């Protein structure tokens, strides 16, 4: 089961920061950016989250909700969110259900060893719940600006 452009994204509900689960279907009528990242408080993930934070008003103006997803636990997420001042929620995907739904668990190499990890990826879902755009194997510099431009164009 994976997502594809132009198709409805299957509903999911997952544990998130802020004390409430995040449920995709509850976002209907708004666009949703779901960004997957490898790990809380690492340099690339902190930069990417900061870029989403710094553009949060522009996303809100484009009727777009932003949510981050990694396999870290809620306590780690709450600390990361508070420390970085993120105005959006982070989903804890310990069982990798959301990661598998979006097919972002990939074989990665670190220090010569292979392991399964989260491939940095972003998905833009339109106000009707259909996948409008996807970015896989994301490089952080300039990425959030590109996602924002797509969200604004889609909302226009």
């Amino acid at each position: 089961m994976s997502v594809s452009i132009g198709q409805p994204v299957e509903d999911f509900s997952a544990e998130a920061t802020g004390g409430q689960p995040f449920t995709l279907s509850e976002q209907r009528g708004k666009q949703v950016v779901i960004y997957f990242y490898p790990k809380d408080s690492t340099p690339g993930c902190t930069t990417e989250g900061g870029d989403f934070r710094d553009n949060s008003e522009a996303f809100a103006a484009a009727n777009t909700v932003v949510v981050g997803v990694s396999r870290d636990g809620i306590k780690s997420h709450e600390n990361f969110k508070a420390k970085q001042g993120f105005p959006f929620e982070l989903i804890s995907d310990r069982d990798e259900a959301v990661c598998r739904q979006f097919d972002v668990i990939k074989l990665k190499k670190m220090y010569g060893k292979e392991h399964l990890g989260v491939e940095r990826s972003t998905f833009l879902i339109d106000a009707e719940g259909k996948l409008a755009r996807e970015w896989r194997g994301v490089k952080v510099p300039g990425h959030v600006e590109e996602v924002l431009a797509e969200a604004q164009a889609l909302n226009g």
Side-chain angles (χ1 to χ4, degrees):
M1 209 322 281
S2 189
V3 295
S4 51
I5 302 286
Q7 295 301 308
V9 176
E10 189 176 309
D11 193 23
F12 67 86
S13 189
E15 189 179 19
T17 52
Q20 293 290 320
F22 177 89
T23 303
L24 184 61
S25 60
E26 289 175 2
Q27 311 305 317
R28 274 303 182 295
K30 292 186 179 128
Q31 298 177 155
V32 180
V33 167
I34 301 176
Y35 80 94
F36 291 85
Y37 64 95
K39 191 156 181 49
D40 288 347
S41 302
T42 55
C45 300
T46 300
T47 300
E48 184 179 27
D51 288 349
F52 276 112
R53 175 197 62 219
D54 296 346
N55 286 282
S56 62
E57 287 177 15
F59 277 106
N63 191 35
T64 306
V65 173
V66 173
V67 63
V69 183
S70 84
R71 299 181 299 180
D72 295 297
I74 282 296
K75 191 171 183 342
S76 173
H77 274 353
E78 290 287 9
N79 290 340
F80 186 40
K81 180 183 166 187
K83 187 173 180 194
Q84 300 303 326
F86 294 158
F88 48 83
E89 304 307 335
L90 299 175
I91 291 173
S92 173
D93 193 30
R94 289 273 220 217
D95 64 0
E96 300 178 356
V98 182
C99 288
R100 280 195 302 275
Q101 180 177 341
F102 287 84
D103 191 30
V104 298
I105 299 289
K106 302 291 180 198
L107 197 59
K108 298 168 93 178
K109 267 197 165 108
M110 188 181 277
Y111 308 119
K113 289 188 166 66
E114 289 188 338
H115 69 283
L116 286 174
V118 175
E119 178 184 51
R120 192 181 307 279
S121 306
T122 303
F123 299 86
L124 175 61
I125 300 168
D126 71 16
E128 278 103 57
K130 292 186 180 133
L131 184 64
R133 183 79 203 273
E134 64 180 16
W135 294 263
R136 295 181 181 272
V138 166
K139 300 283 179 254
V140 173
H143 173 63
V144 170
E145 291 78 6
E146 190 181 329
V147 175
L148 177 59
E150 288 286 331
Q152 289 167 331
L154 192 61
N155 190 50

